[in-house]
């Protein structure tokens, strides 16, 4: 009996390693393709601005057509629309199956997400990569005839490997599986996930490199007496997170009532709105990585411009998610959190003696705190942002801000976003 268990355990690792390599290569290819698509979109916008008056129609048409095509792709495969993380969680809980057509999720998520995000929708790359990773895990388990429990473990573990590949964050992927997907810590699950995330990040590095997503120079650590400010800062981020969750669900419910409007037409209309924003300012659309990069290196616009960016992207993210295309929530949240951190520092700076804390600490804390307020996974948020930015010395302010954000969102009665989205899932097997 013991020897049989040992052989079964060894088989899991024999399946896990090559499957993790595939997750890393697929995730790296998706990131590489998105980078090229973003560059192409910027080039199109620059060319459109040279046409004068009618030039604004080009980004509108680009986003509308892209959203419609991505929505049409997603409608042909169950669970292809949206983030996909809620489906990964539902499979773990036994509330949904992977389905006999699960492999079709790979091209649907890859090309649908690429078209949706490449055309400018305010969505994140992590959702499709997590979902594709989980599908690769479950299919690898099924095709090698592993037991149902082992296949389920691979499904969750390689979903975490997908997140790790999306953000070059192996520990973030591990904590995401334990804190968000499974909400449990089991030695075997931890070991499988750790091997999967490390392998996936190593393999994705062959495609996109292994540098942090947002490499920043040394950020001054705020003094101890300033830590209560981060407590208040995080509490406000938690309130913003609760409001963001409500807006995501509210947009979906409004779209649910539009039963007479075909899904593809609805997606095209949403894309046209995003295209108008994109014509007004390229940084108002897209996943938000270029915006986060600028804010992290201290390129802050005027206070009124920051307020406009926060308001626009606060609405544009949930609106884009309602288009029912493949795409996640994390990356736009990180950009919105960076905006909030920059705004808060600009407001508080006159009250801080001798510039006790630069904007960098608030930007990084804002990214983690808003993530915690929306997803309700504070430890994942802290580690994910630290790995993405390389700002380990800011660990204490980040922990305080995320604690306050999580507690505030809970007290406001806001449910974690993926719990709500999981209950809204269509009844596909």
């Amino acid at each position: 009996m013991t020897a049989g268990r040992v052989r079964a355990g060894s088989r899991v690792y024999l399946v896990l390693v090559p499957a993790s390599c595939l997750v890393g290569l697929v995730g790296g290819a998706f990131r590489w393709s998105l980078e090229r698509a973003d560059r192409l979109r910027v080039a199109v916008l620059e060319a459109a601005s040279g046409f004068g008056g009618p030039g604004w129609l080009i980004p509108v048409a680009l986003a509308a057509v892209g959203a419609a095509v991505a929505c049409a792709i997603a409608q042909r495969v169950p669970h292809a629309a949206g983030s996909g993380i809620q489906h990964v969680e539902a499979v773990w809980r036994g509330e949904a199956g992977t389905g006999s057509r699960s492999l079709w999720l790979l091209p649907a998520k890859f090309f649908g997400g690429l078209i949706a995000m490449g055309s400018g929708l305010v969505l994140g790359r992590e959702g499709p990569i997590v979902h594709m990773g989980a599908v690769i895990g479950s299919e690898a388990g099924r095709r090698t005839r592993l037991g149902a429990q082992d296949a389920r473990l691979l499904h969750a573990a390689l979903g975490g490997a997908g997140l790790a590949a999306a953000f070059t964050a192996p520990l973030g992927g591990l904590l995401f599986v334990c804190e968000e997907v499974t909400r449990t810590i089991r030695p075997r699950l931890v070991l499988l996930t750790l091997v999967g995330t490390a392998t996936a990040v190593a393999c994705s590095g062959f495609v996109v490199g292994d540098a942090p997503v947002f490499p920043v120079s040394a950020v001054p650590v705020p003094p101890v007496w300033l830590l209560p400010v981060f407590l208040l800062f995080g509490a406000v981020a938690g309130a913003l997170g609760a409001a963001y969750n409500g807006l995501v669900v509210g947009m979906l419910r409004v779209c649910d009532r539009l039963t007479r409007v075909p899904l593809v037409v609805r997606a095209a209309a949403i894309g046209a709105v995003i295209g108008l924003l994109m014509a007004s300012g390229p940084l108002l659309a897209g996943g938000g990585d270029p915006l986060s990069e600028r804010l992290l290196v201290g390129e802050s616009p005027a206070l009124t411009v920051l307020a406009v960016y926060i308001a626009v992207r606060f609405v544009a993210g949930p609106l884009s998610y309602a288009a029912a295309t493949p795409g996640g929530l994390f990356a736009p949240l990180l950009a919105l959190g960076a905006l909030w951190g920059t705004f808060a520092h600009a407001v508080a700076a006159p009250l801080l003696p001798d510039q006790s804390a630069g904007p960098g600490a608030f930007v990084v804390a804002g990214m983690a705190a808003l993530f915690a307020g929306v997803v309700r996974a504070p430890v994942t948020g802290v580690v994910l942002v630290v790995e993405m930015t390389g700002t380990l010395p800011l660990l204490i302010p980040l922990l305080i801000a995320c604690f306050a954000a999580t507690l505030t969102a809970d007290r406001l009665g806001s449910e974690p976003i993926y719990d709500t989205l999981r209950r809204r899932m269509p009844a596909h097997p």
Side-chain angles (χ1 to χ4, degrees):
M1 181 70 71
T2 303
R5 289 178 179 174
V6 170
R7 285 195 297 271
S10 300
R11 280 190 64 207
V12 172
Y13 290 100
L14 289 174
V15 175
L16 172 68
V17 172
S20 301
C21 290
L22 182 57
V23 172
L25 293 173
V26 170
F30 190 70
R31 285 177 57 181
W32 184 90
S33 300
L34 276 179
E35 290 172 4
R36 271 62 190 172
D38 287 344
R39 292 178 188 175
L40 179 60
R41 185 179 72 248
V42 170
V44 170
L45 292 177
E46 290 175 352
S49 64
F51 287 113
W56 64 271
L57 291 173
I58 295 176
V60 172
L62 172 67
V65 172
V69 171
C71 179
I73 291 173
Q75 296 312 306
R76 301 193 57 88
V77 181
H79 306 301
S83 168
I85 291 175
Q86 64 269 30
H87 182 237
V88 176
E89 295 182 3
V91 171
W92 173 262
R93 288 165 175 75
E95 299 170 0
T98 54
S100 58
R101 299 178 61 202
S102 62
L103 272 181
W104 284 103
L105 275 168
L106 296 180
K109 282 288 187 179
F110 194 105
F111 295 106
L114 179 61
I115 293 169
M117 286 173 262
S119 62
L121 293 190
V122 185
L123 298 169
R125 63 181 177 272
E126 77 294 326
I129 301 179
V130 168
H131 207 179
M132 288 188 290
V135 168
I136 290 171
S138 60
E139 279 295 313
R142 185 174 67 85
R143 289 174 181 271
T144 54
R145 299 184 179 179
L146 292 178
Q149 179 62 17
D150 285 339
R152 185 164 158 260
L153 285 170
L154 284 179
H155 184 84
L158 292 191
L163 184 72
F167 292 128
T168 317
L171 291 179
L174 169 64
L175 289 169
F176 168 72
V177 170
C178 295
E179 189 179 24
E180 173 60 29
V181 176
T182 67
R183 296 179 186 174
T184 184
I185 298 177
R186 302 178 186 177
R188 193 157 183 248
L189 173 66
V190 170
L191 191 55
L192 285 169
T193 306
L194 191 57
V195 172
T197 57
T199 305
V201 169
C203 290
S204 68
F206 289 113
V207 184
V208 293
D210 55 2
V213 175
F214 301 128
V216 296
S217 57
V219 178
V221 180
V224 174
W225 65 263
L226 198 60
L227 293 181
V229 174
F230 284 89
L231 193 68
L232 176 61
F233 172 81
V236 178
L240 288 173
Y244 194 87
N245 281 7
L247 191 56
V248 169
V249 177
M251 290 281 191
L252 291 173
R253 287 175 178 167
V254 168
C255 289
D256 287 345
R257 297 191 187 102
L258 302 177
T259 54
R260 295 185 179 181
V261 181
L263 287 174
V264 173
V265 174
R266 184 184 73 192
I270 291 173
V273 173
I274 300 300
L276 280 173
L277 296 177
M278 194 160 54
S280 303
L283 294 179
L284 292 174
D289 278 9
L291 180 58
S292 298
E293 289 173 4
R294 293 190 182 190
L295 297 174
L296 282 165
V297 297
E299 296 182 17
S300 173
L303 195 62
T304 52
V305 176
L306 280 172
V308 170
Y309 270 64
I310 290 172
V312 170
R313 290 192 66 93
F314 194 91
V315 176
L319 181 64
S320 296
Y321 195 81
T325 68
L329 295 168
F330 284 14
L333 276 180
L334 296 175
L336 188 60
L339 283 167
W340 159 238
T342 306
F343 181 85
H345 177 267
V347 171
L351 307 176
L352 301 177
D354 303 323
Q355 293 295 314
S356 301
F362 283 86
V363 173
V364 175
M367 295 167 76
L370 190 61
F371 176 93
V374 172
V375 182
R376 220 63 49 80
V379 181
T380 301
V382 169
V383 174
L384 186 67
V385 171
V386 165
E387 286 187 292
M388 292 176 70
T389 59
T391 52
L392 184 60
L394 296 178
L395 187 60
I396 299 302
L398 264 64
L399 286 170
I400 290 173
C402 287
F403 161 77
T406 302
L407 183 62
T408 301
D410 281 338
R411 292 294 182 182
L412 290 174
S414 173
E415 188 178 37
I417 188 63
Y418 291 113
D419 287 358
T420 306
L421 294 178
R422 193 175 68 249
R423 288 201 307 273
R424 287 180 49 86
M425 282 173 49
H428 291 298

